[in-house]
Amino acid sequence: MRILTVSDVVEVSLYPNLDRDRFSAVDLILACGDLPPEYLSYLVDALKVPLFFIRGNHDIRYDTKPPL
């Protein structure tokens, strides 16, 4: 199983122009907090894999607008 793990900083190599071929083997995304919900939703939409996330101390928008 291949897991894409993201945390704290929006990675410019993943957003907004993700190379789907480079990440085609990813089976799921694990987000470890402090990322915009829009970024996580983009990754899920682009890779078509499940997302598991842990809220960080700066993730106050997740109550009203959680990642898809």
Side-chain angles (χ1 to χ4, degrees), residues 8-63:
D8 296 298
V9 177
V10 173
E11 177 56 48
V12 295
S13 66
L14 299 176
Y15 184 76
N17 299 311
L18 178 75
D19 180 357
R20 288 178 175 88
D21 292 333
R22 182 175 177 199
F23 295 95
S24 64
V26 170
D27 297 306
L28 71 89
I29 301 166
L30 177 62
C32 299
D34 297 330
L35 289 166
E38 299 84 7
Y39 174 64
L40 298 179
S41 295
Y42 169 80
L43 293 175
V44 168
D45 186 53
L47 296 175
K48 308 288 190 239
V49 296
L51 167 70
F52 294 90
F53 67 90
I54 300 165
R55 291 174 52 149
N57 59 322
H58 299 289
D59 292 332
I60 57 175
R61 293 187 299 155
Y62 282 40
D63 288 334

